[in-house]
């Protein structure tokens, strides 16, 4: 159901004198109409009112693989740019802020944010948003933001109301790859940027060097050094039967099909242990990442502030045992601690008194900090043996992850058995300490990358362009779920979106990058290899 009454707007009278200029952007990577035949479809995407115009162009890329581009709707005359001044917990806080803004010559609005995550047990409004300005020009809105900033206001955002999640006319640009694993003679495989954890790479680069028929970006990952190792998958990654990164436990992931395993979307958790030849056992906290920093949390072992999934939060733990494999790169992360260098068979061949050493090509390294460093000193002396064991569960049941073609991290779940089921709270996309996060990440529209599975096992890989007023405004979690259901998926999940959202068809980027710098280097991708 379209949500046309999501917010109650409470106007506060005042005036502001900024001129308006029409905002327009020309689309990139468009094709002439005669390159593809526009096909009339009986059903349209459930975005906006049913009367909106929609066109679809479909191309067969190979037996069992089709690519469809969908363009729906037009830019709304009612949407505009505005400045978000603050998100408050109570209406009184919002009214007090609005009164202050009025006294300073502005015309604020208060918007009641009613929608909560589908699985949120709390009741009542999520909060109240205080906004200033109704402008058609993004540059003028930035000037307004700077004026407010100069007056001491912080945390300001310039936003486009068409991205709020309320009823609008669009437009939307949706790209769909449909893959029948039984008919497609090629492979559906995950790929690391530059073939290592620390090697972020644009999707066009990954697709090009693998001669991919098509591809999309994959899971969440660490972007900056303050949150860990840039390129570390913030969730599970399995490639070529090997675990590359541990799971954000309990979060939904995509299991790619193989000869012995069907495609599946499941709640995935991972468990790693180190077993010494003297029978001592210790949990391994993570794989191929900087010790002490756990992006999106969801680990174990006294992580702070939580062991539950919490998206875009970096949890911490001063006592960690991290397993580094050659997939990480040439050297481990530097720092204080102890490293045990292991041969391929697990023999301890060296005990180093500092982190940041070489990773043997046919071996691995266990790096310990705090109490974990003491464990290594006691149980990983040269001549001893350490076996690192990895286990994965899917929906609570043991899973032979080595038999999957790969596992890609994601979240939240969008569809389960044909029904919209968005586990945003359970998977860490909403938490009571910061209700604004869910509104920003899940209720507002963003570029999205989505994956789904039809009842017959056909895979759907979908992107929704966004952050481009007049071209494509993106989708909310609920809109993403409705898109996937309308395309025939019975199970679906959200993958990494925003500036990471990318799709290639052959050697062409068919999505519009939302980052001002262009296509974003990403950690991993899903490629169709002919």
């Amino acid at each position: 159901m379209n949500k046309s009454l999501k917010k109650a707007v409470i106007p506060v009278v005042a005036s502001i004198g900024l001129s308006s200029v029409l905002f327009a952007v020309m689309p990139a990577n468009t094709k002439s109409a005669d390159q593809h035949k526009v096909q009339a479809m009986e059903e349209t995407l459930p975005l906006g009112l049913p009367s909106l115009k929609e066109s679809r162009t479909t191309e067969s890329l190979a037996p069992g693989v089709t690519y469809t581009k969908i363009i729906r709707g037009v830019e709304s005359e009612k949407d505009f740019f505005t400045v978000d001044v603050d998100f408050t917990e109570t209406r009184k806080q919002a009214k007090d802020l609005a009164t202050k803004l009025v006294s300073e010559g502005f015309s604020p609005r208060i918007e009641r944010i009613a929608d909560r995550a589908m699985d949120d047990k709390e009741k009542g409004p999520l909060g109240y948003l205080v906004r200033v300005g109704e402008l058609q020009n993004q540059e003028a809105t930035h000037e307004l933001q700077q004026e407010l900033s100069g007056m001491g206001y912080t945390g300001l955002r310039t936003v486009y109301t068409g991205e709020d999640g309320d009823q609008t006319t669009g437009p939307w640009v949706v790209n769909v790859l449909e893959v029948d694993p039984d008919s497609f003679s090629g492979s559906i495989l995950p790929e690391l940027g530059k073939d290592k954890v620390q090697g972020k790479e644009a999707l066009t680069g990954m697709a090009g060097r693998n001669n991919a028929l098509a591809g999309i970006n994959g899971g969440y990952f660490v972007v900056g050094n303050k949150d860990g190792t840039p390129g570390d998958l913030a969730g599970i990654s399995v490639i070529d039967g090997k675990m590359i990164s541990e799971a954000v436990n309990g979060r939904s992931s995509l299991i790619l099909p193989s000869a012995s395993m069907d495609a599946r979307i499941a709640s995935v958790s991972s468990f790693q242990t180190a077993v010494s030849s003297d029978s001592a056992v210790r949990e391994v906290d993570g794989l191929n990442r900087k010790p002490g920093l756990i992006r999106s949390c969801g680990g174990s072992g006294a992580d702070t502030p939580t062991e539950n999934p919490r998206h875009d939060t970096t949890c911490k733990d001063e006592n960690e045992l991290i397993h580094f494999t050659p997939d990480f790169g040439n050297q481990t992360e530097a720092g204080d601690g102890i490293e045990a260098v292991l041969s391929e068979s697990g023999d301890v061949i060296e005990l180093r008194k500092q982190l940041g050493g070489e990773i043997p090509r046919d071996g691995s390294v266990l790096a310990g900090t705090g109490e974990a460093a003491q464990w290594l000193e006691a149980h990983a002396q040269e001549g001893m043996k350490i076996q690192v064991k990895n286990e994965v569960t899917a929906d609570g049941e043991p899973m032979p992850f080595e038999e999957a073609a790969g596992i890609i991290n994601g979240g939240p779940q969008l569809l389960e058995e044909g029904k919209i089921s968005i586990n945003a709270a359970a998977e860490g996309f909403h938490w009571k300490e910061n209700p604004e996060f869910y509104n920003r990440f899940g209720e507002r529209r963003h570029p999205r990358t989505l994956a789904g599975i039809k009842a017959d096992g056909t895979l759907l890989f979908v992107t929704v362009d966004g952050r481009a007023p007049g071209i494509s405004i993106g989708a909310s979690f609920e809109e993403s779920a409705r898109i996937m259901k309308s395309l025939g998926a019975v199970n679906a999940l959200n993958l990494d979106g925003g500036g990471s959202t990318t799709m290639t068809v052959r050697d062409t980027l068919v999505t519009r990058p939302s980052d001002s710098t262009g296509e974003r280097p990403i950690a991993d991708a899903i490629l169709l290899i002919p």
Side-chain angles (χ1 to χ4, degrees):
M1 180 175 66
N2 290 326
K3 295 181 285 187
S4 58
L5 298 175
K6 174 185 169 186
K7 300 191 188 93
V9 181
I10 307 164
V12 183
V13 179
S15 62
I16 184 166
L18 286 175
S19 60
S20 299
V21 181
L22 181 65
F23 177 84
V25 180
M26 295 302 294
N29 297 321
T30 56
K31 296 185 177 182
S32 60
D34 60 354
Q35 284 182 278
H36 294 303
K37 180 182 177 182
V38 178
Q39 299 180 343
M41 308 295 287
E42 293 183 2
E43 295 185 4
T44 58
L45 292 178
L47 297 171
L49 296 173
S51 58
L52 291 177
K53 291 185 178 180
E54 178 180 301
S55 66
R56 300 191 181 199
T57 59
T58 297
E59 177 184 3
S60 175
L61 303 182
V65 181
T66 60
Y67 162 63
T68 301
K69 192 178 196 77
I70 306 172
I71 301 175
R72 179 174 176 79
V74 295
E75 185 175 10
S76 171
E77 296 179 356
K78 296 181 179 180
D79 288 324
F80 51 85
F81 289 94
T82 190
V83 176
D84 286 356
V85 180
D86 199 7
F87 186 98
T88 67
E89 183 179 352
T90 68
R91 180 169 176 170
K92 182 182 184 304
Q93 291 170 329
K95 291 184 71 174
D96 289 346
L97 175 57
T99 300
K100 181 176 184 292
L101 287 163
V102 169
S103 71
E104 294 171 335
F106 297 100
S107 299
R109 304 178 312 284
I110 299 172
E111 297 181 358
R112 179 177 182 268
I113 309 301
D115 289 322
R116 290 181 169 272
M118 184 177 290
D119 60 339
D120 182 11
K121 296 179 181 179
E122 297 290 328
K123 304 297 181 184
L126 197 65
Y128 297 84
L129 192 58
V130 181
R131 289 176 155 174
V132 170
E134 295 185 16
L135 302 163
Q136 294 300 310
N137 180 272
Q138 192 171 25
E139 183 178 345
T141 314
H142 280 306
E143 292 175 3
L144 172 58
Q145 179 178 336
Q146 291 171 358
E147 181 182 355
L148 288 160
S149 179
M151 298 177 71
Y153 290 96
T154 59
L156 305 169
R157 290 184 174 91
T158 293
V159 299
Y160 180 66
T161 60
E163 297 169 357
D164 280 349
D166 295 329
Q167 183 70 265
T168 188
T169 60
W172 292 272
V173 176
V174 179
N175 295 281
V176 183
L177 285 171
E178 188 166 345
V179 187
D180 178 356
D182 294 330
S183 301
F184 179 46
S185 61
S187 302
I188 309 166
L189 297 174
E191 175 75 10
L192 278 180
K194 297 180 181 177
D195 290 327
K196 60 182 180 179
V197 169
Q198 301 179 87
K200 292 186 297 180
E201 183 180 9
L203 176 62
T204 49
M206 282 188 261
R209 63 184 172 82
N210 286 281
N211 297 313
L213 184 66
I216 64 163
N217 68 289
Y220 300 109
F221 62 94
V222 174
V223 176
N225 287 297
K226 66 182 180 64
D227 296 311
T229 303
D232 167 45
L233 279 304
I236 194 164
S237 173
V238 172
I239 298 176
D240 292 332
K242 299 179 295 181
M243 280 189 62
I244 308 298
S245 175
E246 79 274 19
V248 173
N249 287 333
R251 184 173 277 186
S252 295
S253 297
L254 173 64
I255 302 167
L256 295 173
S258 65
S260 59
M261 188 177 294
D262 292 334
R264 183 179 175 191
I265 291 169
S267 173
V268 173
S269 295
S270 63
F271 309 90
Q272 301 85 41
T273 54
V275 182
S276 173
S277 53
D278 66 2
S279 300
V281 179
R282 194 198 187 279
E283 175 187 31
V284 175
D285 298 273
L287 278 76
N288 295 318
R289 64 166 172 82
K290 187 177 182 65
L293 299 176
I294 308 101
R295 189 59 171 166
S296 292
C297 308
S300 60
D303 299 345
T304 59
T306 181
E307 293 181 1
N308 296 321
R310 183 176 289 187
H311 195 65
D312 278 1
T313 296
T314 300
C315 285
K316 297 182 179 181
D317 185 350
E318 296 179 351
N319 304 287
E320 285 207 306
L321 189 62
I322 303 297
H323 190 207
F324 288 95
T325 70
D327 297 297
F328 182 78
N330 296 324
Q331 288 191 311
T332 64
E333 286 276 10
D336 295 330
I338 298 292
E339 288 186 343
V341 183
L342 309 179
S343 69
E344 187 174 14
S345 60
D347 295 307
V348 180
I349 55 179
E350 182 183 1
L351 193 66
R352 299 193 286 233
K353 300 299 183 179
Q354 194 74 15
L355 306 185
E358 182 179 356
I359 302 172
R361 183 175 301 179
D362 296 320
S364 63
V365 175
L366 279 171
T369 59
E371 172 273 323
Q374 297 172 13
W375 188 90
L376 286 176
E377 283 193 299
H379 305 290
Q381 292 293 324
E382 288 185 41
M384 300 180 76
K385 200 178 188 76
I386 301 284
Q387 294 294 330
V388 178
K389 299 180 180 180
N390 299 317
E391 299 177 12
V392 171
T393 63
D395 292 334
E397 297 294 328
M399 176 194 161
F401 66 88
E402 303 91 343
E403 297 179 13
I407 304 179
I408 303 290
N409 83 74
Q413 171 187 276
L414 300 173
L415 296 175
E416 183 177 20
E417 300 302 323
K419 296 181 180 179
I420 294 177
S421 179
I422 305 172
N423 300 333
E427 297 195 32
F429 295 90
H430 169 67
W431 59 94
K432 63 181 180 180
E433 294 87 350
N434 182 15
E436 182 183 12
F437 181 83
Y438 175 70
N439 179 61
R440 295 283 174 196
F441 198 91
E443 287 294 318
R444 285 186 58 78
R445 297 182 174 104
H446 295 281
R448 304 285 183 185
T449 301
L450 315 168
I453 306 171
K454 291 186 173 185
D456 64 358
T458 296
L459 288 162
L460 293 169
F461 300 114
V462 178
T463 61
V464 185
D465 284 349
R467 299 176 187 165
I471 299 173
S472 186
I473 58 172
S476 66
F477 280 167
E478 184 175 336
E479 286 174 326
S480 298
R482 289 193 272 115
I483 287 169
M484 297 306 287
K485 186 174 182 179
S486 75
L487 294 172
V490 293
N491 295 295
L493 84 162
N494 190 66
L495 298 177
D496 190 16
S500 298
T501 289
T502 36
M503 179 185 288
T504 56
V505 173
R506 299 190 182 92
D507 58 355
T508 301
L509 182 68
V510 297
T511 46
R512 181 189 187 278
S514 66
D515 285 357
S516 60
T517 52
E519 187 182 356
R520 176 186 294 181
I522 56 177
D524 70 342
I526 304 170
L527 302 181
L528 306 185
I529 308 298

